[in-house]
Amino acid sequence: MTFKPTTYQPYDFANRRHIGPSPKEMEKMLEVIGTDSLDSLIDETVPSDIRQQDALDWGDALSERDTLFHLRRVAKKNKVLTSLIGQGYYGTMTPPVILRNILENPAWYTAYTPYQPEISQGRLEALLNYQTMVADLTGLDIANASLLDEATAAAEAMTMAQRASKSKATKFFIDENCHPQNIAVMKTRAEPIGIEIVVGNPDTDLKADDVFGAVFQYPGTYGDVRDFTAIIENLHEFKALAVMIADPLALAVLKAPGEMGADIAVGSTQRFGVPMGFGGPHAAYMATRDAYKRSMPGRIIGVSIDSRGNKAYRLALQTREQHIRREKATSNVCTAQALLAVMASMYAVFHGPDGIKAIAQIIHQHAVRLAVGLEKLGFKVSPDVFFDTITVEVGSMQGVILNAGVANGINLRKIGNDRIGISVDEQTRPETIEAIWTSFGGNDMKDDPTIALDYRLPSDVARTSEYLTHPIFHMNRAESEMTRYIRKLADRDLALDRAMIPLGSCTMKLNATMEMIPITWPEFGDIHPFAPRDQVDGYYEMIDDLSDKLCQITGYDAISMQPNSGAQGEYAGLITIRNYHNAQGNSHRNVCLIPTSAHGTNPATAQMVGYKVVVVKSAENGDIDVADFREKAEKHAENLAACMITYPSTHGVFEETVREVCDITHQHGGQVYIDGANMNAMVGLVQPGKIGGDVSHLNLHKTFCIPHGGGGPGMGPIGVREHLKAYLPGHPELNEAVGPVSAAPFGSPSILPISWAYCLAMGGEGLTQATKVAILNANYIAKRLEGAFEVLYTSKSGRVAHECILDTRPLKDSAGVTVDDVAKRLIDCGFHAPTMSWPVAGTLMVEPTESETKAELDRFCDAMLAIRAEAQDIEDGKIDGENNPLKNAPHTVEDLVGEWDRPYSREQACYPPGAFRVDKYWAPVNRVDNSYGDRNLVCSCPPLEDYADAAE
Ligand SMILES: *Cc1c(COP(=O)(O)O)cnc(C)c1O
């Protein structure tokens, strides 16, 4: 026998692991579509005049092993010191049971935002626990889940205070003791909408009759802990609202903001078990009084009932979402920080109130021991009373001590030129304190008996009220209980680890395990965002290289990694455009053209920078109505600031007129914002920066493999052309002049390894192939469903881009079947529904992505065809119009165990085409009643019999 070398490539990540269909399957699919080759399909789909000239090239694609090896090497260039810099970021212990069973568990991290409540009960419960925890700790009535970071949450609180307050004042007061990045982000947000910021000392500079609200940090950035009750009373006398930015761990031992009269509390739950990660992602929280609940931004989980009257969770007050309210929405927050909120809530479930309180007390004891020691060394320590943070006056010794700290493995905070700040945390050990003393010149103080421990918490703001009283926070402390609780909730949900999630515009593609591995390495996780520059070479190398690649992909000249969601990217982009216009002496330009088909975050964002939204019509074929666009651009030429378009369009088509639309905008002095959420249809084929775009955001949590986490985290970096580069968001910690849009200089950098690993392991060619296959998969579905569902919009050649809109509206007329019925019946078939009623009401938008195999696409198509056939039976009078599998979907085990009196079989109910026999996904609840939940708003854990026997 002669030896024949194999040509099989087991390590081809792009074609064997990331891209679903095998070459053989692709051939069959192309046959069904009716085209010769993948490239001819692309030629028919993507207009030739916008095609990218040069191929993406950054060398050979790496294998999974080599990718991890490379990331390891770069990660090691970060130096992991003990950072006691504080300023909103603290060392914390992620309980291993949470690390492995949530953060590293695809059942949790690959889930989508819980818009479909029936398949989201697990994460909805975890998020409801989060809201309950926040409301308890802050002493307020209602909390959301969640906001992007503490600084943007503070900015949201500011605008919410303006909406909710009855004061006519236009000023907002910021306590100078707020963290600098919080002050900076609030300033950025205030200026375009005409809010005047006053920063000062609340005792001397706050004039309550002159402001609509004020914000205080608690504890303050230098450690101060004080009672704000009198100040808040004074504000209330003049109808102004009070916001407190509170550290949730400190609230375990300190009087709650609600008990001081605060109207809104915000803050970061980072130190509830989420690593610092060089700035994020972490969940910020917001809580408020019942009276203001309808002004609250972000997502709120509520309790409702299902069609059997059983308790079921859901997103509450959904009518406030941007898709409906558009420029009148309370904020543009869409992707938030669900996964991190789940982690924080589980930290509270794991430790319970006693554990949390003990952790806070131990931290305080460390801080006291530290302070007493430093005082013995002759340093002046302030404040007199504190929780975890102290400030030390060091005069000209500052540099020497900071350097000595680093030599001892510890980062301390430089304050001005003569003070040092120290915040101790859950990771602090006695040795840490001793190393600090050493850095301050103290030797052998370890066993000094005169360092007596005492409380230095202010007695007038000591916490007396209870918190975390709900039984869920009082489980038996055995890890077996915790593991099973986490598993139980995960099993209630349908995430990507069970089935394809064909959500249009959301690009639910593979989140490869390899890509996820580096994010839990300490070299990425345990880094403070304000750590000295020479300790973060690895982060900078990664950010620079990923930015270079994203520039190549988009055709832009510079990238800002600061925005931590797509909507934040839009905001950063419009702020950049606004800065640019201002610098050109065009500050009057304030009109933003937005097509009707735009994502709701577009108008919501335009409003946040003070822009006037002018809506442009869609033509019959779904494209932007160019005549209407031109007319409106001309009409507003004098004041045109920008247009916001999406490409390929939200209708799933590569419009031929995109260059024309960009040209018209430029002719009239406007800048072009191209929403890059659909970049998955363009990578390697079309560059937004080369077809007329001036700025775009990328959703790294869509196109570049960061998982959705059940509604966050995300990253929304923006790319800009050269002329806008100088106006990108800056950051005070980097001494940059332009104001920041996020708390941390690089947004949520600890999840960037995911996108970077994806780019490295795919290579330029692999990424381009992925785009082509994404288009192939969408066209395959469109073709297979032809005749059953009309594809609403196609290009002239009859092709769709990477997604397609299926028209389910005719079923409403012919059979009384709604888009909801179809979506819920898909659950019986073992699928998450496609995007519902957006961008066209009553339709479904399907985006399969390149990661789905032909078998999975066929399973989906079979399910859709079976649903069409069920509707046909209603049309033909073969089955009742009200009592049928579509109206009764989803079917649960509860339906089966009772008496079966339906005009269709149990078999048909539970095993429609698509459903797996043995591995069937069972929805834990029947169809959820949304309006009941809004009428009877309950947004914290209800006392439930399930928990009655729970006991520590
Ligand atoms: C997802 C999406 C956004 C918003 O992105 P988030 O990360 O959710 O804030 C904006 N535009 C379009 C078209 C999108 O699909």
Side-chain angles (χ1 to χ4, degrees):
M1 213 171 81
T2 50
F3 179 76
K4 198 162 149 243
T6 179
T7 54
Y8 187 81
Q9 295 179 8
Y11 302 119
D12 180 352
F13 177 78
N15 294 296
R16 290 285 151 188
R17 309 286 176 218
H18 180 80
I19 292 176
S22 68
K24 273 214 185 77
E25 286 176 338
M26 282 195 250
E27 266 171 44
K28 288 202 192 112
M29 293 162 69
L30 288 162
E31 222 167 275
V32 171
I33 294 171
T35 190
D36 323 328
S37 67
L38 191 53
D39 284 328
S40 55
L41 173 69
I42 300 306
D43 291 342
E44 292 163 30
T45 307
V46 187
S48 56
D49 68 324
I50 59 167
R51 287 288 288 274
Q52 179 168 334
Q53 299 307 317
D54 305 318
L56 299 177
D57 184 19
W58 48 77
D60 290 342
L62 302 183
S63 68
E64 290 181 276
R65 179 174 179 235
D66 287 343
T67 303
L68 285 176
F69 184 77
H70 183 65
L71 261 75
R72 213 347 135 217
R73 252 188 21 220
V74 174
K76 285 207 171 119
K77 296 182 187 174
N78 291 331
K79 297 197 189 90
V80 184
L81 271 67
T82 299
S83 283
L84 305 179
I85 298 169
Q87 214 180 318
Y89 304 90
Y90 310 89
T92 181
M93 309 281 288
T94 310
V97 65
I98 293 176
L99 176 74
R100 175 147 298 178
N101 296 291
I102 293 180
L103 184 57
E104 296 178 344
N105 180 353
W108 284 96
Y109 67 70
T110 68
Y112 181 64
T113 310
Y115 286 124
Q116 297 285 334
E118 296 83 359
I119 51 100
S120 312
Q121 290 296 301
R123 54 196 186 275
L124 284 165
E125 175 161 323
L127 293 172
L128 196 72
N129 293 345
Y130 178 83
Q131 290 176 181
T132 307
M133 165 189 100
V134 169
D136 275 12
L137 286 169
T138 58
L140 287 161
D141 304 318
I142 183 170
N144 73 9
S146 49
L147 291 170
L148 293 165
D149 58 38
E150 181 173 286
T152 56
E156 292 288 346
M158 171 182 74
T159 54
M160 176 177 159
Q162 192 182 37
R163 281 196 298 280
S165 136
K166 298 213 167 61
S167 158
K168 293 273 177 295
T170 55
K171 286 186 186 154
F172 185 71
F173 180 85
I174 303 179
D175 183 348
E176 62 195 4
N177 278 321
C178 290
H179 295 318
Q181 72 274 13
N182 293 344
I183 299 177
V185 169
M186 283 188 274
K187 280 184 171 170
T188 305
R189 283 285 286 275
E191 193 267 335
I193 49 176
I195 294 176
E196 206 180 313
I197 296 287
V198 182
V199 182
N201 177 342
D203 295 323
T204 52
D205 305 327
L206 172 55
K207 297 184 181 57
D209 58 341
D210 201 27
V211 298
F212 65 81
V215 61
F216 314 99
Q217 185 105 33
Y218 178 68
T221 193
Y222 307 117
D224 299 81
V225 178
R226 57 176 291 184
D227 195 342
F228 291 100
T229 306
I231 293 176
I232 292 173
E233 266 172 22
N234 191 31
L235 284 166
H236 285 168
E237 247 169 67
F238 294 95
K239 299 193 172 72
L241 299 194
V243 180
M244 285 176 68
I245 310 174
D247 170 0
L249 192 54
L251 296 182
V253 290
L254 297 178
K255 190 168 166 181
E259 293 164 352
M260 294 187 185
D263 303 287
I264 306 170
V266 295
S268 167
T269 56
Q270 179 264 316
R271 68 194 307 183
F272 276 38
V274 183
M276 291 184 283
F278 197 39
H282 317 123
Y285 72 80
M286 177 184 271
T288 190
R289 302 190 175 285
D290 194 65
Y292 304 127
K293 68 187 172 211
R294 279 168 211 276
S295 307
M296 186 157 61
R299 306 206 182 276
I300 305 169
I301 313 303
V303 184
S304 187
I305 52 170
D306 72 359
S307 58
R308 292 186 164 271
N310 290 330
K311 171 206 68 166
Y313 308 116
R314 51 180 275 283
L315 282 172
L317 306 175
Q318 272 201 3
T319 48
R320 304 166 334 119
E321 289 288 329
Q322 304 96 25
H323 286 312
I324 291 142
R325 303 279 314 267
R326 313 222 23 126
E327 65 271 19
K328 294 184 188 69
T330 48
S331 90
N332 69 344
V333 173
C334 184
T335 286
Q337 302 282 16
L339 186 68
L340 301 314
V342 168
M343 285 179 71
S345 83
M346 288 295 183
Y347 179 94
V349 170
F350 182 70
H351 285 298
D354 293 342
I356 301 269
K357 185 169 186 180
I359 291 166
Q361 286 175 334
I362 293 165
I363 288 174
H364 178 66
Q365 282 162 10
H366 282 307
V368 173
R369 180 161 175 259
L370 172 65
V372 175
L374 291 174
E375 284 162 353
K376 284 197 69 109
L377 287 172
F379 290 96
K380 178 163 174 2
V381 173
S382 66
D384 296 334
V385 288
F386 50 82
F387 166 57
D388 65 343
T389 299
I390 56 171
T391 301
V392 193
E393 285 180 23
V394 292
S396 59
M397 296 282 290
Q398 193 195 48
V400 175
I401 297 172
L402 288 174
N403 287 338
V406 170
N408 286 301
I410 292 172
N411 290 321
L412 304 171
R413 179 178 174 192
K414 177 181 187 309
I415 302 173
N417 291 321
D418 54 3
R419 289 183 297 160
I420 284 177
I422 311 172
S423 298
V424 295
D425 59 48
E426 194 186 358
Q427 290 191 359
T428 302
R429 304 160 185 267
E431 295 78 7
T432 321
I433 303 297
E434 286 139 26
I436 302 171
W437 288 333
T438 308
S439 310
F440 276 80
N443 292 315
D444 285 334
M445 297 172 62
K446 184 158 67 120
D447 303 315
D448 188 336
T450 62
I451 299 178
L453 282 191
D454 191 10
Y455 279 103
R456 292 221 191 155
L457 288 166
S459 50
D460 58 330
V461 289
R463 178 136 196 166
T464 51
S465 57
E466 286 193 297
Y467 48 87
L468 305 182
T469 52
H470 191 276
I472 196 66
F473 302 108
H474 294 265
M475 266 197 240
N476 183 302
R477 296 287 158 219
E479 184 172 314
S480 48
E481 284 294 289
M482 189 68 189
T483 308
R484 287 171 195 153
Y485 180 59
I486 293 172
R487 170 65 189 258
K488 177 175 82 177
L489 295 191
D491 277 355
R492 291 179 186 171
D493 290 7
L494 195 69
L496 270 181
D497 63 334
R498 281 198 211 234
M500 122 188 207
I501 302 185
L503 277 159
S505 212
C506 296
T507 315
M508 297 292 290
K509 60 166 64 173
L510 173 76
N511 316 117
T513 311
M514 175 271 289
E515 294 155 3
M516 291 296 291
I517 282 180
I519 66 161
T520 49
W521 292 345
E523 292 86 350
F524 286 127
D526 294 345
I527 306 281
H528 193 282
F530 311 140
R533 172 63 188 83
D534 62 5
Q535 293 174 20
V536 289
D537 283 348
Y539 259 118
Y540 271 80
E541 183 173 334
M542 171 175 68
I543 289 166
D544 288 347
D545 190 65
L546 181 58
S547 299
D548 279 352
K549 290 183 167 55
L550 295 179
C551 280
Q552 247 199 77
I553 289 168
T554 56
Y556 285 115
D557 300 305
I559 298 281
S560 166
M561 288 289 183
Q562 205 173 98
N564 40 20
S565 76
Q568 283 301 95
E570 294 168 29
Y571 176 72
L574 290 194
I575 283 283
T576 304
I577 289 174
R578 193 172 175 277
N579 291 341
Y580 167 78
H581 281 315
N582 288 353
Q584 310 291 309
N586 286 325
S587 55
H588 61 282
R589 290 193 175 270
N590 68 347
V591 169
C592 189
L593 300 180
I594 302 182
T596 41
S597 58
H599 194 266
T601 52
N602 291 187
T605 302
Q607 171 274 128
M608 286 167 62
V609 301
Y611 281 177
K612 211 177 113 209
V613 175
V614 172
V615 178
V616 180
K617 282 189 265 192
S618 288
E620 194 69 18
N621 68 355
D623 289 2
I624 292 174
D625 183 333
V626 179
D628 191 50
F629 191 95
R630 188 187 305 280
E631 193 185 307
K632 288 182 172 147
E634 276 165 14
K635 183 171 166 211
H636 297 284
E638 190 66 18
N639 296 319
L640 187 64
C643 73
M644 292 181 93
I645 59 173
T646 305
Y647 203 74
S649 74
T650 56
H651 290 156
V653 176
F654 284 98
E655 288 163 285
E656 311 259 350
T657 51
V658 60
R659 279 187 189 275
E660 196 180 345
V661 164
C662 296
D663 286 345
I664 296 170
T665 307
H666 288 142
Q667 274 159 26
H668 295 97
Q671 293 283 296
V672 175
Y673 189 97
I674 299 184
D675 181 322
N678 287 345
M679 200 64 209
N680 211 46
M682 297 206 283
V683 176
L685 300 180
V686 182
Q687 297 165 299
K690 294 283 190 267
I691 59 172
D694 297 295
V695 46
S696 294
H697 76 262
L698 301 173
N699 295 68
L700 298 190
H701 48 298
K702 295 180 179 173
T703 316
F704 293 90
C705 295
I706 292 174
H708 270 250
M715 269 295 274
I718 55 172
V720 296
R721 286 180 48 211
E722 190 65 40
H723 66 282
L724 293 178
K725 202 169 154 180
Y727 308 102
L728 284 169
H731 199 282
E733 290 295 324
L734 304 179
N735 292 319
E736 289 167 341
V738 186
V741 298
S742 300
F746 303 102
S748 299
S750 70
I751 50 176
L752 289 177
I754 302 167
S755 299
W756 197 37
Y758 174 60
C759 289
L760 290 168
M762 293 294 282
E765 204 180 314
L767 287 182
T768 310
Q769 178 72 358
T771 309
K772 293 177 183 177
V773 177
I775 292 172
L776 171 73
N777 279 1
N779 278 284
Y780 178 72
I781 288 183
K783 194 70 186 180
R784 272 215 59 199
L785 298 182
E786 203 175 70
F789 296 94
E790 195 199 335
V791 173
L792 207 50
Y793 301 114
T794 57
S795 66
K796 270 193 226 135
S797 56
R799 302 297 182 206
V800 297
H802 65 313
E803 59 193 3
C804 60
I805 299 178
L806 301 175
D807 198 354
T808 46
R809 292 171 300 187
L811 302 184
K812 182 88 192 344
D813 302 328
S814 64
V817 171
T818 65
V819 66
D820 251 59
D821 298 334
V822 176
K824 305 306 175 193
R825 185 62 171 144
L826 275 170
I827 298 173
D828 286 336
C829 305
F831 285 102
H832 190 294
T835 299
M836 253 172 62
S837 286
W838 183 80
V840 181
T843 65
L844 291 173
M845 181 157 64
V846 179
E847 179 184 0
T849 84
E850 70 278 8
S851 303
E852 296 303 335
T853 62
K854 177 170 178 295
E856 185 70 351
L857 300 178
D858 283 333
R859 188 169 77 91
F860 176 73
C861 291
D862 293 345
M864 288 298 289
L865 293 172
I867 287 172
R868 181 67 191 87
E870 285 177 346
Q872 187 68 45
D873 284 349
I874 301 172
E875 289 167 22
D876 297 346
K878 288 189 192 150
I879 192 162
D880 185 73
E882 284 310 312
N883 192 4
N884 60 56
L886 288 160
K887 287 286 170 204
N888 293 332
H891 294 81
T892 61
V893 174
E894 285 298 316
D895 291 334
L896 299 185
V897 294
E899 196 184 326
W900 188 260
D901 55 1
R902 302 192 179 169
Y904 54 95
S905 69
R906 288 178 165 101
E907 174 77 22
Q908 188 184 351
C910 300
Y911 292 113
F916 294 115
R917 197 88 203 170
V918 175
D919 304 302
K920 157 109 183 148
Y921 170 76
W922 290 100
V925 294
N926 285 93
R927 198 177 300 191
V928 175
D929 185 336
N930 279 319
S931 54
Y932 176 90
D934 279 348
R935 286 193 311 273
N936 307 282
L937 196 63
V938 177
C939 298
S940 55
C941 302
L944 294 169
E945 58 285 0
D946 321 7
Y947 303 119
D949 52 359
E952 280 175 56

